[in-house]
Amino acid sequence: GGGPGGRWPTGGLVVGGGAVAVIGGGESAVATDARPVPPKPRRTLPGRPPEPRWIYAHPSSESAPLTAALWQDRLLVVTSESQASAVDLRTGERVWQRADAADGQAALPAGDLCLVAGPTEFLWLAPKDGAVVHRLRYADGFTDLPGLQVGRLAGHSGTVVWFTGSHTVTVKAPKPKKGKKQEPDKKVVQAHLFAYDIVRRAELWRTPVPTGRAPGTPLYRVVAESPADILVRQEPSTLTPADVKAAKGKGSLRCFDRETGKLRWTKQYGTAGPNAGITGDEGGVLYASVGADLQSFEADTAKPLWRVTGTEGSYFGTPLVAGPFVHTSERSQQIGAVERETGRFVWRRSTEVPAAGGAPALTVSTTGETLFAADAAQVTAFSAADGERLWKFQDIGVPGPKGETVSAPYRALASGTHVIVQRARSFYAFPVA
């Protein structure tokens, strides 16, 4: 299963809605109309971003945001060490806070509810007010795995989430031979990959996987999926020293049967390293950073298909598949569009940011027309079809003369006819094509 003829969807959450209320310093501006009239667009200088529909400033009196996610077409859910809070995507107003969901790592649609995955439990929240409708403590939901420690979500598709977990078991020492000393019992860590339906609130399957670096939970990320399989890669920070030594500098992917969880195969792709940017498309093809180049492979055979050359002294970040293109980013700040079928660059140009950090993170608008490159310095918007540079945006940071220096990178989240740009505590809703 999962060959080049298969289907490998790479979907994400699609949300929408405009808004006009402006939020500053955690104070809400009250929207006076259930259907506010958008402000008239102002004429802007070439290269300047459009006027944001709203701005939300996460209060400085609260913990800084850890994650931000879009829930359906209604909410921006921001989690921190102290709570989860929801911002109305139409107005930019904060509508609820929930301390139970502190340290949450995801906000996913579970039917009409919002699932937040926390360190010790799943919470199903009512989107209207954040009330807890259901709660599943991992210690209660997996009673045959006492002390289960759950890692962050590996991925999700539809109503199913995949995640890893580990727990410690006691292995009895064998009886000693006559005259020999009794060996002590051993404590052994066992790890599993789980599939869980967040609407039915039911475990679909679990399958044993190799343990990770102490304390033992390997962290996986779903790279590609098909109706038959999922492909995952283990986060390098959770590889054991023995795993790292055996890999000899190469990364590998594991393929699991989507229905049963059975391991189908483990493969390496050329000399792609364990940290290489990699993603898959709906046709069973993988795109991976290999040395200074970007290379495509058949997922199930690891056969190389094409290769494009990177810029000197640089490397490719995680590619983004959208329509006929694989969008690329490089540490040298080159952004591009490659034809998926041929590996031919359609366009390639710079964000003009000094190449000091990693490759920019890529996001495409829900229409597929606009590509955003977010890095430590700014967000740059390009026309996805031809690479025309549309605008750049930089957040001012903390305005006060005694304000802290913000070092957080920019993020871009596609939201219907908008893109939500985040930098640390500040969120901006820009209209886009």
Side-chain angles (χ1 to χ4, degrees), residues 130-179:
V132 177
V133 179
H134 306 291
R135 182 192 304 268
L136 175 74
R137 297 188 189 278
Y138 306 137
D140 301 332
F142 305 91
T143 52
D144 58 332
L145 300 174
L148 180 68
Q149 300 291 314
V150 170
R152 74 169 183 267
L153 297 185
H156 70 278
S157 180
T159 65
V160 178
V161 296
W162 297 284
F163 58 90
T164 50
S166 67
H167 76 127
T168 302
V169 298
T170 301
V171 178
K172 291 279 188 182
K175 287 186 178 181
K177 294 181 180 179
K178 191 173 181 178

Side-chain angles (χ1 to χ4, degrees), residues 229-282:
D229 309 308
I230 59 169
L231 259 69
V232 304
R233 182 173 72 175
Q234 186 170 340
E235 293 296 327
S237 63
T238 69
L239 292 168
T240 66
D243 290 336
V244 173
K245 184 177 180 180
K248 297 180 179 178
K250 297 181 181 180
S252 61
L253 300 184
R254 293 183 175 97
C255 178
F256 294 92
D257 184 284
R258 188 163 177 158
E259 189 170 339
T260 67
K262 180 181 178 181
L263 178 66
R264 289 185 179 271
W265 39 256
T266 302
K267 291 187 185 297
Q268 295 177 326
Y269 295 87
T271 58
N275 281 303
I278 187 168
T279 196
D281 72 8
E282 75 281 2

Side-chain angles (χ1 to χ4, degrees), residues 197 248 280 340 344 365 367:
D197 189 308
K248 297 180 179 178
R340 287 161 61 178
R344 182 182 72 87
S365 64
T367 63

Side-chain angles (χ1 to χ4, degrees), residues 77-420:
V77 180
V78 180
T79 66
S80 70
E81 292 179 355
S82 58
Q83 64 188 11
S85 52
V87 175
D88 188 318
L89 281 170
R90 183 181 60 87
T91 65
E93 293 186 62
R94 186 153 75 163
V95 290
W96 53 256
Q97 299 98 257
R98 170 57 60 179
D100 298 40
D103 285 323
Q105 52 154 313
L108 305 176
D112 293 331
L113 302 177
C114 175
L115 176 92
V116 174
T120 60
E121 61 187 348
F122 285 148
L123 291 171
W124 287 261
L125 307 180
K128 180 179 180 181
D129 56 10
V132 177
V133 179
H134 306 291
R135 182 192 304 268
L136 175 74
R137 297 188 189 278
Y138 306 137
D140 301 332
F142 305 91
T143 52
D144 58 332
L145 300 174
L148 180 68
Q149 300 291 314
V150 170
R152 74 169 183 267
L153 297 185
H156 70 278
S157 180
T159 65
V160 178
V161 296
W162 297 284
F163 58 90
T164 50
S166 67
H167 76 127
T168 302
V169 298
T170 301
V171 178
K172 291 279 188 182
K175 287 186 178 181
K177 294 181 180 179
K178 191 173 181 178
K180 297 291 185 179
K181 186 179 177 182
Q182 173 70 49
E183 294 290 330
D185 296 341
K186 289 185 178 180
K187 297 286 188 181
V188 178
V189 176
Q190 295 180 342
H192 294 84
L193 174 66
F194 297 84
Y196 188 89
D197 189 308
I198 59 176
V199 170
R200 292 166 46 201
R201 304 197 306 282
E203 180 183 341
L204 303 179
W205 50 254
R206 70 180 71 162
T207 191
V209 295
T211 55
R213 183 185 295 268
T217 302
L219 296 182
Y220 287 173
R221 181 175 70 85
V222 174
V223 169
E225 56 173 286
S226 78
D229 309 308
I230 59 169
L231 259 69
V232 304
R233 182 173 72 175
Q234 186 170 340
E235 293 296 327
S237 63
T238 69
L239 292 168
T240 66
D243 290 336
V244 173
K245 184 177 180 180
K248 297 180 179 178
K250 297 181 181 180
S252 61
L253 300 184
R254 293 183 175 97
C255 178
F256 294 92
D257 184 284
R258 188 163 177 158
E259 189 170 339
T260 67
K262 180 181 178 181
L263 178 66
R264 289 185 179 271
W265 39 256
T266 302
K267 291 187 185 297
Q268 295 177 326
Y269 295 87
T271 58
N275 281 303
I278 187 168
T279 196
D281 72 8
E282 75 281 2
V285 177
L286 294 174
Y287 307 92
S289 172
V290 181
D293 301 336
L294 183 74
Q295 196 165 352
S296 70
F297 301 88
E298 288 184 352
D300 55 354
T301 67
K303 175 185 174 182
L305 300 174
W306 51 252
R307 177 192 294 260
V308 295
T309 304
T311 48
E312 186 176 354
S314 184
Y315 58 81
F316 284 91
T318 302
L320 175 66
V321 177
F325 302 131
V326 180
H327 290 294
T328 64
S329 70
E330 298 177 61
R331 184 179 182 276
S332 62
Q333 295 293 313
Q334 294 290 320
I335 308 299
V338 175
E339 288 182 344
R340 287 161 61 178
E341 293 294 323
T342 65
R344 182 182 72 87
F345 262 110
V346 178
W347 61 265
R348 192 182 202 177
R349 66 183 314 192
S350 175
T351 64
E352 298 182 345
V353 171
L362 300 177
T363 304
V364 69
S365 64
T366 54
T367 63
E369 293 182 26
T370 308
L371 179 69
F372 304 95
D375 52 50
Q378 67 187 29
V379 172
T380 310
F382 296 91
S383 167
D386 60 14
E388 177 189 357
R389 196 183 294 123
L390 304 175
W391 48 262
K392 299 178 180 182
F393 171 72
Q394 288 185 323
D395 168 70
I396 195 62
V398 181
K402 296 183 179 179
E404 63 181 350
T405 298
V406 178
S407 58
Y410 289 80
R411 291 186 66 208
L413 303 168
S415 167
T417 57
H418 291 74
V419 61
I420 309 299

